[in-house]
Amino acid sequence: MQSHTISISEAKALDAEDPLSGFRKKFIFSQHNGKDALYFTGNSLGLQPKAAKYALQIELDDWGEHGVEGHFRARNPWMHYHELLSKNLADIVGAKPSEVVAMNALTVNLHLLLVSFYSPKDSRKKIICEANAFPSDRYALLSQIEFHGGNPETDLIEIEPREGENLILLEDVLSAIEEAGDELKTVMMGGINYYTGQLHNIEAITNAAHEVGAFCGFDLAHAAGNVPLNLHDLGIDFACWCTYKYMNSGPGSVGGIFIHEKHHNSRLPRLEGWWGHDKETRFKMTPDYISMGTAESWQMSNAPIFNMAIHNVSLNIFKEAGGMEVLRERSLRLTDYLEQTIGKVVEATSANLEIITPCNHDNRGCQLSVVAHGQGRELFDTLSANGVIVDWRDPAVIRMAPVPLYNSFEDIARFGLILQDALN
Ligand SMILES: *Cc1c(COP(=O)(O)O)cnc(C)c1O
């Protein structure tokens, strides 16, 4: 039975009966007045796994001991380091290991993927994306259009929410794709919108794009490690993501890409470097490029080992927890609980809090975006002063994400009581 008011003991009971509650102990919480903060910004920078330090130390020690020989003699030889990550990474995004590789950073990867999946020709030169996408994505798309000598005004079609709405309707995306028809080269959307938390219908959008002969790819910055994905089976052409948000791999850590196997040996344009060269002969240093023949062919440079050591630790935690389906089940319960808790705060204070993230499970990950109508930055300051870490965007949007690996029902109940006090 759920109480009508926020109850810490009820939250503690929910934590006690949840087998995944113990994973919280694997992470270091940021501190507020000497105590663990109520950390809800895993959608921005995930918490540090305790094991990160040891994994990093191993690589530092191996570098110290072996110098250049570490490429072959390190406990995890650096020469093949990225291969250590591929299986776990593939499981998280629903791909084959040959279709993913950890490399570079997100916006860089988006550009490299667009080199392959956006080569406008004749009248087929339009890109469809969502309006209000993360700005870096928009900059990337516009600069790609300009780079190819196109017209940013007409070649980028941004799907807007309808007048007075916050969310983008699937039917509007689908009809824009149909309308662009054979002028459409590429659809590139966020899997989950960073601002509203809306999870798009990846399958329907991909099918519609393919129907008109366009490529379809996704920026999964807010979806990878948040919701189960199925990139291979859906036939998605390409995807990229960062690993410092839900994948807890540290600030600016190495990003990741997915390229469907159907493209591995096609003649797509591609920028190449030695790390994409067939590994059997890479160190023969021959002048001609021989492709790895997998997503690894898109790699250019040798791997950033220190980043990857942490990423590897983090991916192993996902595996230990049982994978994305298991985490998603807990994630849905935590986010529903947050939604109910906000409902209780509204009842107790009659504040006007509007959750703009869809309430339907199929259309959201763990993040909720809440508009605190009539409130100002003082609300955010009061929350911060009480050890609550959420993301605030003017005018009054609170974005927060209970992360199933480390947030608890108790975190949410405590947040609810602090919010209630702040509003009273
Ligand atoms: C976080 C985020 C980025 C950040 O890009 P970097 O290249 O990692 O700095 C870009 N796009 C989206 C959608 C994001 O959520």
Side-chain angles (χ1 to χ4, degrees):
M1 255 305 279
Q2 281 228 342
S3 52
H4 289 290
T5 52
I6 297 167
S7 155
I8 301 286
S9 58
E10 176 193 275
K12 282 185 166 167
L14 289 170
D15 285 326
E17 70 194 24
D18 193 319
L20 288 179
S21 293
F23 276 77
R24 180 182 175 86
K25 289 203 290 289
K26 293 183 183 292
F27 293 87
I28 302 174
F29 278 74
S30 63
Q31 296 294 295
H32 175 78
N33 294 340
K35 285 207 289 243
D36 289 354
L38 293 170
Y39 194 84
F40 292 108
T41 45
N43 54 348
S44 191
L45 183 69
L47 289 178
Q48 182 185 143
K50 286 179 183 163
K53 191 183 278 182
Y54 306 105
L56 207 46
Q57 192 63 52
I58 285 178
E59 303 310 330
L60 287 167
D61 290 348
D62 284 357
W63 178 27
E65 181 170 341
H66 303 295
V68 69
E69 301 276 293
H71 284 296
F72 306 97
R73 288 216 205 133
R75 275 162 275 186
N76 302 306
W78 305 328
M79 160 93 172
H80 309 294
Y81 206 92
H82 60 276
E83 294 170 22
L84 265 184
L85 292 77
S86 297
K87 172 72 172 78
N88 285 343
L89 199 50
D91 287 345
I92 288 183
V93 297
K96 296 185 174 180
S98 62
E99 292 175 315
V100 298
V101 62
M103 65 180 205
N104 307 324
L106 173 53
T107 309
V108 173
N109 285 336
L110 179 56
H111 276 295
L112 294 178
L113 292 170
L114 288 169
V115 165
S116 298
F117 294 98
Y118 179 65
S119 46
K121 223 171 142 215
D122 307 323
S123 61
R124 197 182 270 282
K125 57 187 180 187
K126 298 203 165 160
I127 302 180
I128 281 184
C129 74
E130 64 200 306
N132 312 319
F134 194 90
S136 196
D137 294 23
R138 188 163 193 272
Y139 307 153
L141 296 174
L142 287 174
S143 60
Q144 283 280 335
I145 290 171
E146 291 197 41
F147 177 75
H148 287 286
N151 179 352
E153 301 276 322
T154 51
D155 292 350
L156 185 65
I157 303 171
E158 297 176 89
I159 316 297
E160 308 260 358
R162 293 190 182 174
E163 186 73 31
E165 307 271 313
N166 294 299
L167 305 174
I168 293 171
L169 289 182
L170 176 62
E171 59 181 281
D172 290 351
V173 181
L174 301 185
S175 61
I177 291 173
E178 208 184 307
E179 203 175 303
D182 56 13
E183 295 189 343
L184 185 61
K185 184 72 198 178
T186 309
V187 175
M188 207 307 286
M189 306 261 298
I192 293 182
N193 182 273
Y194 82 101
Y195 188 78
T196 61
Q198 179 180 15
L199 168 58
H200 292 296
N201 187 329
I202 290 175
E203 180 171 10
I205 293 170
T206 304
N207 290 341
H210 289 165
E211 195 77 22
V212 300
F215 287 132
C216 191
F218 292 88
D219 180 332
L220 301 173
H222 282 262
N226 180 3
V227 293
L229 293 160
N230 201 2
L231 303 183
H232 174 83
D233 287 348
L234 296 185
I236 288 159
D237 297 292
F238 67 97
C240 49
W241 53 85
C242 52
T243 63
Y244 47 81
K245 291 172 181 166
Y246 293 104
M247 280 198 258
N248 312 319
S249 300
S253 192
V254 64
I257 63 160
F258 163 86
I259 294 179
H260 199 282
E261 66 180 0
K262 65 191 169 192
H263 297 300
H264 289 177
N265 294 300
S266 63
R267 296 192 166 267
L268 292 172
R270 178 171 65 208
L271 296 180
E272 294 171 342
W274 74 317
W275 231 246
H277 187 285
D278 174 41
K279 69 180 178 188
E280 303 306 330
T281 52
R282 186 178 298 153
F283 283 81
K284 296 214 162 81
M285 307 300 236
T286 53
D288 293 324
Y289 178 88
I290 303 166
S291 165
M292 273 294 294
T294 64
E296 289 180 34
S297 323
W298 274 258
Q299 280 186 122
M300 294 180 149
S301 296
N302 74 95
I305 300 301
F306 302 134
N307 274 191
M308 286 196 177
I310 298 176
H311 190 29
N312 190 39
V313 161
S314 202
L315 292 175
N316 280 325
I317 296 176
F318 277 84
K319 181 173 165 194
E320 203 185 330
M324 286 310 301
E325 298 290 344
V326 173
L327 285 167
R328 172 66 165 169
E329 194 275 327
R330 172 171 158 88
S331 174
L332 289 172
R333 283 188 288 120
L334 281 167
T335 300
D336 287 349
Y337 192 71
L338 174 60
E339 189 175 25
Q340 290 153 15
T341 300
I342 291 169
K344 289 175 188 175
V345 172
V346 169
E347 251 175 66
T349 62
S350 53
N352 185 355
L353 303 177
E354 179 198 2
I355 298 175
I356 60 175
T357 307
C359 49
N360 184 343
H361 286 175
D362 289 341
N363 298 115
R364 74 180 184 200
C366 68
Q367 174 183 323
L368 292 183
S369 303
V370 186
V371 185
H373 292 286
Q375 303 292 326
R377 212 179 150 93
E378 317 81 68
L379 176 62
F380 174 71
D381 293 339
T382 309
L383 293 175
S384 303
N386 285 284
V388 174
I389 304 184
V390 292
D391 179 81
W392 177 270
R393 307 260 152 165
D394 288 330
V397 180
I398 296 169
R399 297 185 314 141
M400 55 188 298
V403 169
L405 276 174
Y406 51 74
N407 282 120
S408 63
F409 290 93
E410 186 181 345
D411 285 344
I412 294 170
R414 291 198 182 282
F415 159 76
L417 291 175
I418 292 168
L419 178 65
Q420 193 164 297
D421 276 353
L423 289 166
N424 266 330

